[in-house]
Amino acid sequence: MSAAPITGNRGILATFGRDGLIQIILIANSILMLAPAIIMVMSAFKTNMQIFQDPFGIPNFTDLANFATIMTRSNFLRYLWNSVFVTGVSMALILSLGMMAAYAIARYDFKGNAFVLLFFMAGLMLPLKLAIIPLFILFRDLGIINTHWSLIAIYVAMGLPSTVFILTGFIRTLPRELEDAARMDGASEARIMWSVMIPLCRPAMVIAGIYNVVPIWNDFFFPLVFVQNDALKTLPQGMTTFMGEYSTNYGALFAGLTLAAAPITILYILLSKQFINGMTSGAVK
């Protein structure tokens, strides 16, 4: 008579133990992900000596000396605007061109359809850093070295493969009856894409946007190669102002990194609902 309750309790304990282990793993992973960001923010309010003597100590958050330093001893606002401009134009081109390509691949059956998709997918396996010398020669001949357009061209080429891949798969899951209804109402193909498909693809576009905006915003390599003018530098490159050959102002550097990370963090928080909806849209029919 007592075997059934014991067995049931063991099942409950086993389930609780498994769920508890999962929760522990998730909490540990969250700590590992958040710890560097927390240390970075705290270090932004410390001097070099405080950073090395007490790296995990709570700083005086009213001490804004490091933030004043980056505003007065560097062109921080100029670097910020350059990053916003390059990232914004790149993302606008990536999402608009990627949406048009994905819509054509997903909805039109034409000879070479699969080849075009595979052509975009090949971009996921060929990092542009391997072609840095041919790119430099090409941009030099085009006359766009030391301009933002060289960076925008590279970022668009880097972002299109993943964007086309994400949007093509998402569009193929949408019912064709929506487009047929729009055609019956007299809508053109362009109108169908911009008025019907884009609103439906918003979650997937948010995923593609977040997937591409972070590496573009944080990129250091390509601005270092193609931009030498200080007035054209982006934030990651501009923050090297505080890194010297013999000394580094780590407090000011961490303050700059904190301000540089803030826009992307805020953007992710604002779009987190759309991001989660896009990630789970294919899970439920």
Side-chain angles (χ1 to χ4, degrees), residues 2 29 34 66 87 91 135 140 146 152 169 178 186-187 196 203 209 211 236 248 253 267 271 278 284:
S2 60
N29 181 69
L34 292 175
N66 291 327
T87 304
M91 291 308 306
L135 284 173
R140 182 199 62 189
N146 205 30
I152 291 171
L178 297 173
V196 178
Y211 183 84
T248 299
L253 182 61
L267 180 65
L271 298 178
V284 180

Side-chain angles (χ1 to χ4, degrees), residues 259-282:
L259 293 178
I264 296 297
T265 304
I266 295 172
L267 180 65
Y268 179 80
I269 293 173
L270 294 176
L271 298 178
S272 60
K273 184 177 180 180
Q274 291 286 340
F275 182 77
I276 295 172
N277 289 340
M279 292 293 290
T280 59
S281 60

Side-chain angles (χ1 to χ4, degrees), residues 73-118:
R73 292 181 52 189
S74 72
N75 295 325
F76 179 83
L77 295 179
R78 184 66 183 178
Y79 302 149
L80 178 62
W81 163 247
N82 292 337
S83 289
V84 170
F85 175 78
V86 171
T87 304
V89 174
S90 299
M91 291 308 306
L93 291 173
I94 288 172
L95 292 178
S96 58
L97 296 176
M99 181 65 195
M100 289 188 285
Y103 179 67
I105 293 172
R107 283 300 194 244
Y108 296 104
D109 296 326
F110 56 91
K111 187 176 181 180
N113 181 296
F115 174 78
V116 173
L117 180 59
L118 290 175

Side-chain angles (χ1 to χ4, degrees), residues 147-263:
T147 68
H148 288 152
W149 296 109
S150 60
L151 300 179
I152 291 171
I154 290 176
Y155 295 148
V156 171
M158 290 173 53
L160 275 178
S162 60
T163 302
V164 171
F165 175 73
I166 293 171
L167 293 179
T168 299
F170 188 86
I171 292 174
R172 284 176 173 172
T173 64
L174 299 177
R176 291 180 178 268
E177 289 77 9
L178 297 173
E179 302 158 65
D180 295 337
R183 290 190 182 96
M184 292 178 65
D185 290 337
S188 63
E189 296 301 315
R191 178 75 179 198
I192 292 172
M193 186 185 71
W194 292 106
S195 299
V196 178
M197 300 306 296
I198 287 182
L200 294 174
C201 293
R202 190 175 301 152
M205 294 180 71
V206 170
I207 293 176
I210 293 177
Y211 183 84
N212 288 288
V213 74
V214 174
I216 291 175
W217 182 268
N218 294 330
D219 183 51
F220 176 79
F221 179 78
F222 289 112
L224 181 65
V225 174
F226 294 110
V227 175
Q228 290 82 41
N229 189 345
D230 184 71
L232 298 175
K233 291 181 179 179
T234 56
L235 270 175
Q237 186 184 8
M239 287 299 96
T240 58
T241 303
F242 301 101
M243 298 177 63
E245 182 178 359
Y246 301 105
S247 63
T248 299
N249 189 341
Y250 288 102
L253 182 61
F254 280 121
L257 293 175
T258 299
L259 293 178

